[in-house]
Amino acid sequence: MIETKNLCVNLGSFQLQDINLTVDDGEYFIVLGPTGAGKTVLLETIAGLYPVKSGEIWLSGKEITRLEPEKRGISIVYQDQALFPHLSVKDNIVFGLRLRKQARQEIAASLDWLTELLGISHLLERKPNTLSGGERQKVALARALSIKPQVLLLDEPLSALDPESREAMQRELRRIHNRLKVTTIHVTHDFEEAIALGDHIAVLGEGRIKQVGTPKDIFNQPNSEFVARFAMTRNIFTGEVIDKGNGNTVFRTEDAELVVVTDLRGRLHASVRPEDILISPKPLHSSARNSFCGTITYIADRGSTLYLTVNLPPDFVCLVTRRSFEEMKLAEGNKVYITFKASAIHVF
Amino acid sequence: MNKKGFTTNGMTLTFILLGLIILLFITVPLLKMVVASDIGILLDTLLEKEVRNAIWLSIYAALIATVTGLLLGVPLAYILARSNFRGKTFIEGLIDVPIVVPHSAAGIALLFVFGSNFLAGKAFHLVGIDFVYSTAGIVIAMLFVSIPFLIDSAKEGFKKVDVRLEKVSRTLGASPWQSFFRVSLPLASRSIFAGTVMMWARGISEFGAILILAYHPMVASVLVWNRFETYGLDYARPVAVLLILVCLLLFIGFRTVIYRGEKA
C-alpha cells in the first residue's frame, strides 16, 4: 500500500496542497486532472525525484518521504518514454538489472520474460529512435517492470500515441495489470481513459484533490463543478434550489425551473447527462417531471450519435442516436421538446 | 544548393560573395605560407632538436592542461547545466573572461598568484612544483586561456541531455554517480569531446600568457617569435609552417572523428 499524508509540493507558480491518497496493493489508481495541474510533479514526488515541502509518503508501512529514489523500488514511465537514446532496446530494459549486479542468466531470464510479456522480442537490437510510439511505450514499460517495482507510475502513457495504438496500448495496460497486479498510479487528463482503466480515480485540480472514488462515483456524483466538467457531464447549470411546497423542489436557472430531488438548498450546481434527456418533436406523455420546449441551435455530428444543443434558455446538450435523429427529421431551428426525470438531475 | 528550400536571389548571392571574402582571408595567408615553403628547408627544420622539442612541448603541455580541464571543468559544466541559483549568470560570465582579456595581461595576473613570491606559488613550491620558467607554468597559462572552450561546450552538451533520463535511471536503482557516468556523461560525450579538442588546440596555439610566465622551456609559438625577433622572417617561417601543419592535422583528425560520430 502506498499512501501520501497531507503532502504539499511547491511547483513555483502554485502548490500541490494536502494531497491525501491511499492506493492499495494491486490497485490500478488513476489521477485525473487537466494539463498543468501538477500531475507529473505528483508522480515525481512519489518517486523521490521532486522535493517534498511538507507531509509524508508511506510505502508498505514504512515512511519513505526522504528516501533516495534508487532505494524506493518505484519505477516511472514518462509520457515521451524517456528511453536512453544511446542504448539498444535490450540495454534499456536490463539497465536496472545490471545496476543490481544480477547474474547473467538471471538477467537473460528476466529479459526473455518481459519481452515475451510485451511482445517486443523482435526489437531487442534496435535503437530507441527507430521505434514507433507504441513500441517505445512497451519498451519503457518493460524497463520499468524489470526491477519488479512495488509501485509503477505511469505519466500520461497514452497521450503521445496515435488513436489506434492508444486503444491497443490501453488494452495492453489492462492485460498486464491483470496479470502482474503491480500497484499502479496512472495520471491522465482523459476522462474516458480514467473510466476504462481505473479501480479508483482521484481528480486533481487547482492544486488539490477534488474527489476520490470509483469511476462510477465520479461519473454519476461529481462533488463540484470542477469534477463535473471533467466528467464530461455537459449540462452543468448554476442556480438556486427552491422549495415550492407539497414536497416539490425546483432548481431555478435562468428562466427554467427544473424539478429535482435533493435535500440541499441554496445556490448550487445541477447537472444532467446528455444521454438522460429524451428529445421529441411533440410533448411526451410520460412520468418524467421535466419537459420543456426549446429550439435546436446546434447539431454536432459524431457519426452514430449526435449532440444537439437545445435552447430554452438555458442551453441543454442532448444525445440522440443517428437512427432516431433521422426518424424525427430534426434540423437546426426546429422546435422540440426535451424530457428528463427529476432523478436524472444531480444537484451539488 | 537547393536543399532546405534555399533559393538563389540577390540577397543570398550577396551573402555568398561576402562569405567568400572572409573564407579567402582565412585560407590565403595560411596556404601561401605553406605552399611557398621549401620542402627541404622544412625537413631540415624538423630535424632540429630545438624545433622538435618545442612542438612536442606544445602538444604535451596542452594535453596536460586539457586533462586538468576535464577533471575540474566538466563537473562545473554539469552543475551549470543542471541547476539554477543566484549568481549563475555571473559565474557563466566569469568563465568566459579568459577569452576576452589580453593574454599577456592574463599571464601577468597568473604571475601574481603563481609567482615564487606569492601564495599559491609558495604552496606549490613546497611540493616541488614551480611555475616560473617551467612546464608547469606553461600548463597553467594554457589552462587559464583555454578552459572556457571546454566548459562552455560541455555545458551545452549536458543541457541537451533530458533531465528525465537521469530521473528514470535513478528510479531504476542508479545512484547519482552511476546516473552521471552511465547516462549523462555518455550522452554529452560528443560535446565534451568537441570542447576537449577546442581546448587542446587553443592550448597549443597560446602565446601571450606563456611568454610572460614561462619563456623557457620554449614552446613552438614562443620559438616562432624568438626566431623572428633574433634572426628574422626567413628563419621564423619554417617553424611557423610546421606548427600550423601540426595544428591542422590534429584539428582535421578530430573533426573527422566527431563527424563520423554524428553520422553513426
Side-chain angles (χ1 to χ4, degrees):
Chain A
M1 186 169 82
I2 181 152
E3 247 185 311
T4 64
K5 296 179 182 171
N6 300 321
L7 195 67
C8 292
V9 182
N10 200 340
L11 284 95
S13 54
F14 68 109
Q15 293 192 341
L16 292 182
Q17 284 181 329
D18 299 325
I19 306 292
N20 289 294
L21 294 175
T22 304
V23 183
D24 284 325
D25 285 340
E27 197 181 339
Y28 201 111
F29 192 92
I30 298 266
V31 177
L32 180 66
T35 310
K39 301 189 298 286
T40 303
V41 172
L42 178 60
L43 288 189
E44 290 191 341
T45 309
I46 292 171
L49 301 166
Y50 200 93
V52 172
K53 192 177 163 225
S54 65
E56 295 170 0
I57 305 170
W58 289 70
L59 177 63
S60 308
K62 273 184 276 181
E63 204 208 323
I64 58 163
T65 317
R66 316 251 171 248
L67 192 68
E68 292 95 328
E70 62 267 29
K71 292 177 183 154
R72 294 192 185 202
I74 298 178
S75 52
I76 188 164
V77 175
Y78 280 107
Q79 179 173 359
D80 66 352
Q81 298 95 29
L83 295 174
F84 303 126
H86 59 307
L87 301 178
S88 67
V89 166
K90 179 182 153 194
D91 291 336
N92 262 281
I93 297 175
V94 301
F95 187 90
L97 302 175
R98 291 225 171 106
L99 286 168
R100 280 167 174 65
K101 304 257 186 295
Q102 284 195 359
R104 204 174 274 265
Q105 301 95 310
E106 224 176 311
I107 291 179
S110 299
L111 184 68
D112 280 352
W113 174 73
L114 281 165
T115 50
E116 189 122 341
L117 177 73
L118 287 149
I120 48 173
S121 313
H122 57 295
L123 303 174
L124 288 181
E125 301 308 323
R126 302 256 294 269
K127 279 284 176 71
N129 61 6
T130 68
L131 306 177
S132 72
E135 289 169 338
R136 277 204 302 274
Q137 197 62 266
K138 286 181 184 175
V139 175
L141 202 55
R143 182 178 64 179
L145 289 169
S146 72
I147 60 162
K148 302 213 162 45
Q150 291 200 62
V151 181
L152 175 66
L153 306 176
L154 305 174
D155 177 20
E156 300 256 7
L158 306 175
S159 305
L161 305 178
D162 58 87
E164 217 168 286
S165 26
R166 181 186 303 192
E167 249 191 69
M169 194 66 203
Q170 187 170 311
R171 280 198 302 274
E172 194 75 1
L173 286 174
R174 191 74 248 182
R175 180 178 72 84
I176 289 164
H177 184 257
N178 286 341
R179 187 143 160 216
L180 305 181
K181 286 288 171 205
V182 179
T183 312
T184 304
I185 303 178
H186 169 147
V187 306
T188 179
H189 64 264
D190 186 312
F191 190 75
E192 288 176 23
E193 198 175 304
I195 296 280
L197 287 166
D199 296 323
H200 282 95
I201 298 175
V203 183
L204 182 70
E206 293 154 343
R208 290 173 186 277
I209 298 290
K210 295 284 190 178
Q211 187 173 2
V212 184
T214 62
K216 215 176 144 196
D217 292 340
I218 307 273
F219 201 49
N220 293 331
Q221 291 161 320
N223 68 354
S224 60
E225 188 186 355
F226 184 88
V227 175
R229 286 201 189 282
F230 227 87
M232 289 200 315
T233 324
R234 284 155 191 259
N235 299 305
I236 302 170
F237 307 110
T238 309
E240 197 166 0
V241 179
I242 302 163
D243 254 317
K244 285 278 186 177
N246 302 333
N248 277 339
T249 312
V250 298
F251 181 87
R252 183 186 291 153
T253 173
E254 298 185 40
D255 288 334
E257 285 192 346
L258 318 177
V259 182
V260 294
V261 185
T262 179
D263 294 331
L264 302 171
R265 294 291 179 272
R267 281 203 66 81
L268 290 160
H269 301 287
S271 67
V272 197
R273 304 197 56 76
E275 58 269 37
D276 288 339
I277 302 176
L278 286 170
I279 198 161
S280 57
K282 295 201 169 111
L284 276 185
H285 296 288
S286 78
S287 62
R289 290 157 76 193
N290 288 301
S291 191
F292 304 95
C293 181
T295 314
I296 299 177
T297 54
Y298 183 69
I299 298 175
D301 196 332
R302 294 275 183 279
S304 58
T305 57
L306 299 97
Y307 286 95
L308 311 187
T309 307
V310 178
N311 181 259
L312 306 186
D315 280 338
F316 278 79
V317 176
C318 318
L319 181 72
V320 292
T321 62
R322 172 159 299 279
R323 175 183 286 196
S324 46
F325 176 78
E326 281 171 0
E327 276 172 6
M328 290 185 279
K329 299 197 173 65
L330 299 175
E332 284 179 11
N334 285 9
K335 284 247 182 271
V336 288
Y337 288 84
I338 58 169
T339 307
F340 46 93
K341 294 177 184 172
S343 61
I345 302 178
H346 174 62
V347 178
F348 57 97
Chain B
M1 259 300 191
N2 278 319
K3 269 186 196 169
K4 297 176 187 171
F6 191 93
T7 52
T8 29
N9 53 37
M11 186 190 78
T12 51
L13 280 175
T14 314
F15 282 11
I16 289 169
L17 205 71
L18 293 171
L20 280 175
I21 294 173
I22 200 70
L23 282 177
L24 286 176
F25 175 71
I26 294 172
T27 47
V28 169
L30 295 176
L31 273 178
K32 184 156 184 274
M33 184 157 76
V34 174
V35 172
S37 303
D38 185 303
I39 301 282
I41 295 177
L42 274 186
L43 283 177
D44 283 347
T45 315
L46 197 56
L47 287 175
E48 277 181 60
K49 199 156 195 282
E50 194 185 19
V51 173
R52 272 184 303 161
N53 282 349
I55 290 177
W56 173 241
L57 183 61
S58 286
I59 294 173
Y60 166 77
L63 192 62
I64 296 177
T66 306
V67 171
T68 314
L70 277 171
L71 284 174
L72 301 176
V74 171
L76 177 61
Y78 181 77
I79 296 288
L80 290 174
R82 276 292 176 260
S83 53
N84 275 312
F85 50 89
R86 277 173 63 105
K88 180 177 154 182
T89 331
F90 174 74
I91 290 180
E92 284 175 323
L94 201 67
I95 288 164
D96 286 339
V97 165
I99 297 179
V100 296
V101 299
H103 288 178
S104 48
I108 291 187
L110 285 169
L111 204 55
F112 266 97
V113 175
F114 292 98
S116 43
N117 295 328
F118 300 94
L119 189 68
K122 278 181 183 162
F124 277 100
H125 181 76
L126 292 177
V127 289
I129 300 177
D130 285 299
F131 294 100
V132 180
Y133 293 119
S134 75
T135 309
I138 296 167
V139 170
I140 59 159
M142 287 174 168
L143 181 64
F144 186 87
V145 298
S146 61
I147 189 72
F149 295 98
L150 177 56
I151 294 178
D152 287 344
S153 181
K155 186 178 77 186
E156 291 311 311
F158 284 127
K159 271 188 187 167
K160 279 189 229 146
V161 179
D162 187 348
V163 185
R164 283 176 308 170
L165 296 176
E166 296 170 9
K167 290 184 170 177
V168 166
S169 80
R170 293 293 303 279
T171 65
L172 293 171
S175 68
W177 290 98
Q178 285 172 319
S179 191
F180 178 79
F181 282 109
R182 286 172 191 240
V183 178
S184 328
L185 195 61
L187 286 172
S189 60
R190 196 170 301 147
S191 298
I192 296 173
F193 186 68
T196 306
V197 173
M198 279 301 291
M199 181 174 175
W200 193 11
R202 187 63 200 78
I204 291 174
S205 62
E206 179 50 22
F207 169 67
I210 298 174
L211 192 71
I212 304 278
L213 215 59
Y215 192 98
H216 285 287
M218 227 179 258
V219 292
S221 58
V222 176
L223 185 68
V224 172
W225 186 73
N226 173 274
R227 296 233 162 154
F228 179 68
E229 279 287 281
T230 328
Y231 308 107
L233 189 59
D234 287 340
Y235 288 86
R237 198 172 67 186
V239 186
V241 169
L242 281 175
L243 187 57
I244 288 172
L245 285 177
V246 167
C247 288
L248 276 181
L249 274 176
L250 284 175
F251 200 59
I252 291 168
F254 284 117
R255 286 288 295 228
T256 318
V257 172
I258 293 173
Y259 183 68
R260 283 211 187 122
E262 265 170 23
K263 278 211 297 193

